[in-house]
Amino acid sequence: MNHASAFDMDAFRPHDHGRCRRAARAAAERECQARGLRLTPARAFVLDALLESHRAMTAYELLDRLREAGLGKQPPIVYRALDFLVANGFAHRVERLGAFVGCVHGADDHRAAFLVCRSCRQVAEAVLEAPPAALTAQAEATGFAVERVTVEAEGLCERCRADA
Ligand SMILES: [Zn+2]
Ligand SMILES: [Zn+2]
Ligand SMILES: [Zn+2]
């Protein structure tokens, strides 16, 4: 992969996740203040749930959490919160899993690439500065206008490979 930062492989191994989580949460709060965005209770709750680990969560799982917490039981609450978090770079959608992860890269506007473990659903993120050059060059050569590139590699993390 070209033009990408290193993948945050902590996602696949024991680490001080409290530090990841607190840093990501603080970054989101700072961004909200700077940009005049409101981290409503539902948005904050969904963000916190996503930041509990590096595992991707589906909208249904998040809705169950909201229900348990008494914050709402209607799916639109979750979808609106996710739309907000994704649009502002606080979370990402992992297409391969149809699920979401909290961003641990400090929530500015960025493109991301993912390593997705199909067994434990943990996801490692790298910031992708530009889409793979070979792909865009080929597309442009045929007159195809690329609007969005998704870079997700699916496989098994080291721990799941050891368990298999
Ligand atoms: Zn972590
Ligand atoms: Zn990110
Ligand atoms: Zn795994």
Side-chain angles (χ1 to χ4, degrees), residues 89 92 103-105 110 112 125:
H92 299 291
C103 176
V104 290
H105 279 99
H110 60 280
E125 177 186 340

Side-chain angles (χ1 to χ4, degrees), residues 35-112:
R35 291 193 256 156
L37 304 170
R38 243 162 53 80
L39 203 56
T40 61
R43 290 167 176 176
F45 182 89
V46 171
L47 178 61
D48 287 338
L50 290 174
L51 290 174
E52 269 171 30
S53 75
H54 295 272
R55 189 178 65 85
M57 292 178 78
T58 63
Y60 283 107
E61 280 179 90
L62 292 162
L63 185 58
D64 280 345
R65 296 287 192 89
L66 271 173
R67 255 190 211 124
E68 283 163 23
L71 279 171
K73 30 176 157 309
Q74 301 305 321
I77 297 174
V78 168
Y79 288 111
R80 279 199 299 264
L82 286 169
D83 281 349
F84 169 85
L85 296 173
V86 170
N88 290 292
F90 305 143
H92 299 291
R93 183 180 157 84
V94 180
E95 305 290 342
R96 192 70 197 90
L97 300 174
F100 300 84
V101 284
C103 176
V104 290
H105 279 99
D108 52 346
D109 192 17
H110 60 280
R111 217 190 305 252

Side-chain angles (χ1 to χ4, degrees), residues 22-36:
R22 283 189 300 273
R25 185 62 153 80
E29 276 170 31
R30 267 199 314 275
E31 282 291 311
C32 283
Q33 279 213 325
R35 291 193 256 156

Side-chain angles (χ1 to χ4, degrees), residues 15 17 20 54:
H15 65 286
H17 183 67
C20 300
H54 295 272

Side-chain angles (χ1 to χ4, degrees), residues 7 15 25 29 46 100 115 117-118 123 130 132 139 141-143 155 157:
F7 281 98
H15 65 286
R25 185 62 153 80
E29 276 170 31
V46 171
F100 300 84
L115 299 181
C117 178
R118 62 177 163 79
V123 174
T142 62
C157 73

